[in-house]
Amino acid sequence: MRTVVLLSTVVVAAVGVSACQGGHGHEKEWTAEEVKELERKWGFEYAFSGIGSFAHLKHVKCLTTPSERFDIGIIGVPFDTATTYRPGARFGPRAIRQASSRQTSFRGFNPRANINPYQNWATILDCGDIPVTPMDNAVALAQMTVAFVELGQRGTVSPLLQKPKLITLGGDHSLALPALRALRKIHGRPLRVLHFDAHLDTWHPDKYPSAWPSDQAHFNHGSMFWLAGNEGLLANASAAPSVHAGLRTRLSGDDWDDFDDDTRQNWVRLSADDIDDMGTSGIIKTILDSFAPAAEGDPQDPVYLSVDIDVLDPAFAPGTGTPEPGGWTTRELIRILRGIESLNLVGADVVEVAPAYQGAGEETALAGAQVVYEILSSMVKKGMHEMGKTGGAGSGGGGHDEL
Ligand SMILES: [Mn+2]
């Protein structure tokens, strides 16, 4: 008891001194050298310290800070009220950020990609979250659409980019619809999608039968690509398909109608089992062939990369809304992502991380954070190629170390 009293006295005294100094404007004047010394002594975060932004990146709430320019923005969308089975992906952005703790610009060199995305030409920010209502999905869809349009039209730092690129941390998969709406508007043309998922997500809303029909129910995490196609957001020429990879979902009814409808919507399908026959290299080749320009030298079409973490086997990613046994390993997915780094990615998401169902070791969120890192590596590396540089330590613009 005595100790407690003594401690309280000390605290009161300390507060008193602080208030005296602050309240009367007698703050110590810090010289530049002194501030530099503070930075030298304390300007460092261990993997496990500091406020939890993605990869310790500078955090700016970009939606309320329009003056802050960036080349690549990490944006969280903590939204999960369009799920059909397990909810919980609203906690995905926080879980992915937490799991990204050991990603630092200091030790960020990606040996698989021969580049450190955090020490290069790109200014990468953690843009915070879009505050999306959990109570009204019509409002939520409007909020996400407005936010993606707003952020996607911001000014960039590098002259390499006309518009910044966003990587979205989900959130359930329905957020791909507002993301595609924004990109369709910003780029002035339909998009092509590379979609890693156990499921099709091109389901006609009637595939979720209900005696209580509702237009609002069309907006769900299994129909957003059907909606996107109907809204003209996706390229519809047969020579310009979108691609699913990692499929193993059960289908409706007693036939192939779901696949037939998916084909009519201009999608190419790679199943999870295909990897046994063609290997990761065959998966990569099929994807790249599908997205190849019609003629050599033609510009690449803009591609939106959408990664549902349930593309991984539940052994690797149990923390998700609709797990399906028989999926890819984390290593296989990383290998495939590295193999497709030449694609012209204009935006990306990592969705359906629902940490309540993952193990204490955070395997699902770790996989999500790693996927974001691989996408960042690809986006930055693509920019280096456009500058005529190749990947490698020190060959970029000497970016600021956010540690
Ligand atoms: Mn999905």
XYZ file of all heavy atoms in Angstrom, residues 11 55 63 80 91 130 159 167 223 267 285 326 343 359 391:
111
model
N 3.682 10.381 -9.689
C 2.902 10.644 -10.911
C 2.309 12.038 -10.870
O 2.393 12.805 -11.816
C 1.787 9.580 -11.079
C 0.815 10.013 -12.172
C 2.401 8.226 -11.420
N 3.002 -3.347 -42.577
C 4.451 -3.372 -42.786
C 5.147 -2.125 -42.207
O 6.167 -1.691 -42.737
C 4.786 -3.516 -44.269
N -8.523 9.162 -46.996
C -9.836 9.705 -47.364
C -10.039 11.118 -46.822
O -10.754 11.922 -47.433
C -10.954 8.786 -46.851
C -11.212 7.547 -47.709
C -12.125 6.572 -46.969
C -11.805 7.917 -49.055
N -18.281 -7.062 -43.816
C -18.556 -8.497 -44.021
C -20.029 -8.838 -43.976
O -20.394 -10.001 -43.772
C -17.784 -9.350 -42.997
C -18.237 -9.123 -41.554
O -19.224 -8.391 -41.333
O -17.600 -9.678 -40.640
N -12.868 -8.118 -39.557
C -11.633 -8.040 -38.778
C -10.396 -8.413 -39.596
O -9.287 -8.476 -39.060
C -11.743 -8.932 -37.536
C -12.841 -8.494 -36.600
C -14.041 -9.184 -36.538
C -12.683 -7.362 -35.827
C -15.065 -8.759 -35.704
C -13.707 -6.931 -34.979
C -14.902 -7.629 -34.916
N -11.672 2.297 -44.977
C -12.930 2.942 -45.365
C -13.947 2.567 -44.281
O -14.203 1.384 -44.073
C -13.436 2.441 -46.734
C -12.371 2.627 -47.817
C -14.731 3.165 -47.114
C -12.745 1.988 -49.159
N 6.300 10.194 -61.391
C 5.757 10.465 -62.729
C 5.465 9.183 -63.508
O 4.855 9.240 -64.577
C 6.871 11.279 -63.398
C 8.113 10.950 -62.642
C 7.687 10.632 -61.239
N -4.282 -1.397 -53.108
C -4.382 -2.804 -52.718
C -5.302 -2.849 -51.509
O -5.002 -2.256 -50.465
C -3.006 -3.410 -52.380
C -2.057 -3.276 -53.580
C -3.158 -4.878 -51.976
C -0.631 -3.766 -53.292
N -21.901 -13.150 -55.902
C -22.512 -12.669 -57.150
C -21.887 -11.384 -57.670
O -22.346 -10.834 -58.679
C -24.022 -12.426 -56.946
O -24.687 -13.618 -56.618
N -15.472 -16.002 -68.821
C -14.420 -16.395 -67.883
C -13.753 -17.693 -68.331
O -14.405 -18.597 -68.866
C -14.990 -16.599 -66.477
C -15.370 -15.322 -65.783
C -16.509 -14.589 -65.964
C -14.602 -14.638 -64.787
N -16.502 -13.491 -65.140
C -15.342 -13.489 -64.406
C -13.371 -14.861 -64.168
C -14.884 -12.589 -63.439
C -12.927 -13.970 -63.209
C -13.680 -12.840 -62.860
N 1.523 -20.249 -67.106
C 1.486 -20.100 -68.568
C 0.051 -19.883 -69.059
O -0.200 -19.022 -69.910
C 2.095 -21.331 -69.235
C 2.152 -21.221 -70.756
C 2.848 -22.403 -71.406
C 3.052 -22.166 -72.909
N 1.811 -21.807 -73.620
N -9.017 -29.177 -50.219
C -8.434 -29.539 -51.513
C -7.810 -28.390 -52.270
O -7.708 -28.440 -53.497
N 2.061 -8.918 -65.491
C 0.725 -8.405 -65.825
C 0.613 -6.918 -65.467
O 1.286 -6.428 -64.567
C -0.359 -9.196 -65.088
C -0.544 -10.656 -65.505
C -1.617 -11.323 -64.631
C -0.899 -10.786 -66.980
N -5.894 -20.188 -36.588
C -5.185 -20.679 -35.428
C -4.450 -19.553 -34.720
O -4.324 -18.441 -35.241
N 15.293 -5.417 -61.555
C 15.211 -5.536 -60.103
C 16.583 -5.716 -59.479
O 17.521 -6.174 -60.122
